[in-house]
Amino acid sequence: MAADRRGRRKARAHHILDTAAELLQRYGYNKTTMDDLARQAGVAKGTLYLHWKTRDDIFEALLRREQVALARTFLENVRASSERPTLRSLFRHAALGLLRHPLGRAVFTRDVEVVGKLLREADEHPERKELFEVLIDFLSRRNLVRPDLAPRAQAFLVRAVFLGFFMLCSWTPDQLGLPDDQVADLVADTVVAALDLGGQATPEEVTAAAEDFLAYLEELVAKEEAEFEAELL
């Protein structure tokens, strides 16, 4: 019986977060109220407070869930690919995930109309790194990136590449734009060229490093998923 109650509570929390994601993308953070959220989710306003103390807590939980979901989708897509994992393919899948995830992309591009003051909240948690930052840290420890750049500079460079392509996509009329797959290819090619990824390693060493990173990320994501789900009870 207790297990059933926990299951219903968790399902309700995810439903509320799903609704919050929908409203955030439709109206933006500043224009979404607790009344809006309760009405759209079909629950009493007091029910929201059974799970979270404030509106900010709800949206912060949403952003955390989305970040974990992005990493999980990345892992599934890489594993489902017919090609062997390479450093280029890892960055390609990271770019493709953001291109196809509007909320994650809004956070990454710091779209204040969508996520508002939540950006400041995210800035207060530097330990929550973007997927590519985790990858850069891993590759740096394996000496698979340019030795003349510190990891912080490497992460800055990669962020600039991703951001440049994403912003151009948002500014370009649909009839002049490119498919997500092609944009992701261009992003990955640019990152690989800029960081000289794998320049000092054999293809076998690069593949081994990519596989090791996926195993490392799997453990990290599984831990984050378990911790987040426990917090919903």
Side-chain angles (χ1 to χ4, degrees):
M1 199 65 157
D4 289 341
R5 284 198 300 271
R6 288 196 297 272
R8 288 194 298 270
R9 180 180 175 87
K10 184 183 294 186
R12 186 176 62 197
H14 277 294
H15 172 63
I16 292 171
L17 292 177
D18 290 341
T19 304
E22 179 184 340
L23 293 177
L24 196 62
Q25 293 175 70
R26 186 187 305 174
Y27 302 116
Y29 171 81
N30 293 330
K31 296 180 180 179
T32 300
T33 68
M34 292 291 271
D35 288 329
D36 295 330
L37 183 51
R39 182 170 54 253
Q40 187 71 17
V43 300
K45 187 175 177 180
T47 301
L48 304 179
Y49 294 106
L50 292 176
H51 294 274
W52 297 279
K53 294 180 180 179
T54 68
R55 184 180 73 131
D56 284 355
D57 288 342
I58 294 175
F59 285 107
E60 286 173 28
L62 171 64
L63 294 188
R64 184 181 173 194
R65 188 186 73 162
E66 296 304 296
Q67 185 179 43
V68 175
L70 266 173
R72 172 57 66 190
T73 300
F74 166 84
L75 282 168
E76 292 174 351
N77 289 341
V78 173
R79 293 300 191 192
S81 175
S82 59
E83 64 176 337
R84 69 177 185 178
T86 63
L87 302 184
R88 179 190 181 280
S89 72
L90 296 184
F91 279 100
R92 180 184 183 279
H93 281 293
L96 197 56
L98 283 170
L99 285 166
R100 293 177 174 173
H101 194 287
L103 187 52
R105 190 169 68 253
V107 174
F108 182 83
T109 59
R110 305 184 72 81
D111 188 338
V112 294
E113 290 188 6
V114 176
V115 291
K117 64 174 278 189
L118 292 174
L119 288 173
R120 293 199 298 272
E121 301 293 340
D123 290 341
E124 293 176 2
H125 295 279
E127 73 281 0
R128 298 177 187 171
K129 297 181 178 180
E130 298 284 353
L131 177 61
F132 74 82
E133 292 178 307
V134 178
L135 177 53
I136 285 291
D137 286 344
F138 184 88
L139 296 178
S140 296
R141 293 195 296 272
R142 294 296 187 91
N143 297 315
L144 289 176
V145 290
R146 288 172 52 182
D148 61 317
L149 288 179
R152 183 175 180 180
Q154 293 164 4
F156 185 92
L157 190 158
V158 175
R159 178 177 289 277
V161 171
F162 273 62
L163 186 58
F165 275 98
F166 292 167
M167 295 304 291
L168 185 58
C169 286
S170 67
W171 296 336
T172 302
D174 290 343
Q175 65 270 25
L176 299 177
L178 297 174
D180 289 346
D181 283 327
Q182 191 171 355
V183 174
D185 282 332
L186 293 172
V187 171
D189 288 340
T190 304
V191 169
V192 168
L195 292 184
D196 191 26
L197 293 177
Q200 305 300 318
T202 66
E204 292 74 19
E205 290 171 332
V206 171
T207 298
E211 291 285 3
D212 287 348
F213 171 73
L214 293 175
Y216 166 77
L217 184 63
E218 179 64 57
E219 290 185 9
L220 189 64
V221 171
K223 179 175 178 292
E224 289 289 331
E225 287 173 334
E227 290 179 354
F228 182 80
E229 292 296 322
E231 291 173 5
L232 295 182
L233 297 177

